[in-house]
Amino acid sequence: MSRISLFIVDDHQIIIDGLKGLFGPLEDFIICGEANDIESATNGILNLKPDIALVDIRMPNGTEGLKLLQWVVKNKLDTKVVLLSMHHDVRLIQDAKNWGAKGYLLKNTGKDELFHALRFIVDGGVYFYEAKEEKQQQEVVFTPKELEVIRLIVDGYSSSEISQKLSISDETVKVHRRNIRNKTGTTNTVELINKLVELGFPY
Amino acid sequence: MSRISLFIVDDHQIIIDGLKGLFGPLEDFIICGEANDIESATNGILNLKPDIALVDIRMPNGTEGLKLLQWVVKNKLDTKVVLLSMHHDVRLIQDAKNWGAKGYLLKNTGKDELFHALRFIVDGGVYFYEAKEEKQQQEVVFTPKELEVIRLIVDGYSSSEISQKLSISDETVKVHRRNIRNKTGTTNTVELINKLVELGFPY
DNA sequence: AAAAAGATACCCATAAGTGGGTATATATAA
DNA sequence: TTATATATACCCACTTATGGGTATCTTTTT
């Protein structure tokens, strides 16, 4: 099997150089190109057809890394996009997944984990960073009434509809919803649903 | 293996008698009890511990079948609840699933399908009626912009947040959302998300 | 060239959701 | 017995969503 070709996109040259140093000694990787901005990146990726594009998700004008990802997806290129970020941003990760990114890694990821992730992705896997603390501190416990409300929320019922089904005031339903949001650390219904899925909620 | 014990709950005695006639000739089923209302049903189920409770979902006071289901679930009984209904009601089916029902069958289901479903459920399966017409008439096609909006909706972004990300007016985002709802036949965001899942939307 | 589809952006009105507060009653746990 | 948790229901203010309309512009199709 030939070497895994990487294309690096980052507006900080220091990051690119650092990655070069990391991958240099490795036999099974080769950095085939680099770019500091979207335009250069699109050209480079079109011409070099790398196996993987390692893209900084945050560049000068907002989350341009996502735009590059979208460009790759829209043009149906074979290059797998792996995003690099400084922070663990749940929404950005979700965005990346939705757009078909193959990975999301923190810039302070250890080099061994980085190598492992990229090899895994080339083999057809996906590799998304998930904060481990969250998984542990998550022990959301709902009250029986909250569970009844949740089961109706996820079906798409409004608060007034729920209040009728449960024979309580819609104001009370709102209180339950507020408490449920607070317990789950979410701010709207869609986030709540995503959180419930994440929690493996059996609905 | 012993016979499968059934408990039938329906406010129409004619239905109960009809089911008795259906199951009478079968060797592997036995109707161990029946009830015309919730109170009798709870008593009967507690005492007889049937394998399956066949429950009419609509009884005089609204969807009492669901209440009986909830009672069974809350009391952690081993009896599997299968709901019978006259109509294909997506929301009721969803409710039933959320509450842990093992099946949802139409009253005009053929007897062979009914037997098959119950045996399947006793073996640990679930059996929910799904209108087949819908699956075929569903060929929802989204425009590229609508897809971008959808990908952000399912992450929990508001219209104004989406408008910023896409660099368009929030009024335009609202139009896209309206068109998306109309295309999918949904009336709010949660219903939309459920529909997208149903459509196997890759997000 | 004319029609259709897509994207844009505004108008209106109403419904629903969100975030905060207080308050009461009941049951359960310390 | 005194807290604590749960459920109930209201208050307020603000934001967001929903359902309908019209309109313009561009691109694609007929």
Side-chain angles (χ1 to χ4, degrees), chain A residues 66-80:
Chain A
L66 280 181
K67 292 182 183 168
L68 182 58
L69 166 63
Q70 292 166 17
W71 174 83
V72 170
V73 169
K74 286 179 179 174
N75 289 75
K76 296 172 182 167
L77 304 182
D78 291 328
T79 297
K80 299 174 194 291

Side-chain angles (χ1 to χ4, degrees), chain A residues 2-20:
Chain A
S2 63
R3 299 168 83 178
I4 299 170
S5 57
L6 294 178
F7 192 97
I8 303 176
V9 186
D10 202 308
D11 58 317
H12 301 303
Q13 188 61 36
I14 183 85
I15 298 282
I16 296 182
D17 292 338
L19 289 171
K20 280 182 178 174

Side-chain angles (χ1 to χ4, degrees), chain A:
Chain A
M1 176 183 166
S2 63
R3 299 168 83 178
I4 299 170
S5 57
L6 294 178
F7 192 97
I8 303 176
V9 186
D10 202 308
D11 58 317
H12 301 303
Q13 188 61 36
I14 183 85
I15 298 282
I16 296 182
D17 292 338
L19 289 171
K20 280 182 178 174
L22 275 182
F23 287 102
L26 297 185
E27 298 259 327
D28 56 342
F29 285 99
I30 182 167
I31 295 179
C32 65
E34 61 183 77
N36 298 108
D37 57 80
I38 297 281
E39 286 72 32
S40 315
T42 55
N43 288 332
I45 292 174
L46 264 184
N47 292 327
L48 300 170
K49 304 187 193 308
D51 297 317
I52 289 182
L54 259 182
V55 181
D56 182 18
I57 199 167
R58 286 197 185 278
M59 287 191 279
N61 307 319
T63 57
E64 297 216 12
L66 280 181
K67 292 182 183 168
L68 182 58
L69 166 63
Q70 292 166 17
W71 174 83
V72 170
V73 169
K74 286 179 179 174
N75 289 75
K76 296 172 182 167
L77 304 182
D78 291 328
T79 297
K80 299 174 194 291
V81 176
V82 177
L83 295 167
L84 287 175
S85 172
M86 290 296 290
H87 310 289
H88 173 251
D89 184 327
V90 176
R91 282 190 160 183
L92 281 182
I93 292 177
Q94 203 56 50
D95 275 355
K97 282 185 181 174
N98 289 348
W99 273 103
K102 301 302 179 187
Y104 182 107
L105 297 167
L106 297 193
K107 284 190 178 174
N108 61 6
T109 297
K111 64 182 193 321
D112 290 332
E113 183 179 354
L114 175 60
F115 300 153
H116 170 264
L118 293 182
R119 292 189 185 105
F120 182 64
I121 288 166
V122 167
D123 289 339
V126 294
Y127 197 101
F128 287 87
Y129 173 79
E130 307 219 342
K132 290 156 193 166
E133 323 85 79
E134 284 190 346
K135 294 280 177 185
Q136 291 168 345
Q137 78 189 13
Q138 284 166 0
E139 272 215 27
V140 186
V141 177
F142 298 110
T143 69
K145 210 69 187 184
E146 285 169 352
L147 283 174
E148 295 188 54
V149 173
I150 286 174
R151 288 187 166 98
L152 294 168
I153 289 175
V154 300
D155 279 358
Y157 292 108
S158 69
S159 294
S160 66
E161 288 173 320
I162 294 173
S163 75
Q164 289 166 18
K165 281 180 170 284
L166 300 183
S167 301
I168 56 179
S169 162
D170 67 314
E171 293 288 340
T172 305
V173 175
K174 287 184 183 180
V175 173
H176 286 308
R177 296 184 79 137
R178 194 199 307 166
N179 292 337
I180 291 166
R181 284 196 305 274
N182 289 341
K183 278 187 179 180
T184 51
T186 57
T187 58
N188 64 52
T189 305
V190 178
E191 280 186 2
L192 169 63
I193 289 177
N194 290 335
K195 187 73 172 188
L196 290 172
V197 171
E198 187 186 314
L199 292 173
F201 189 75
Y203 67 96

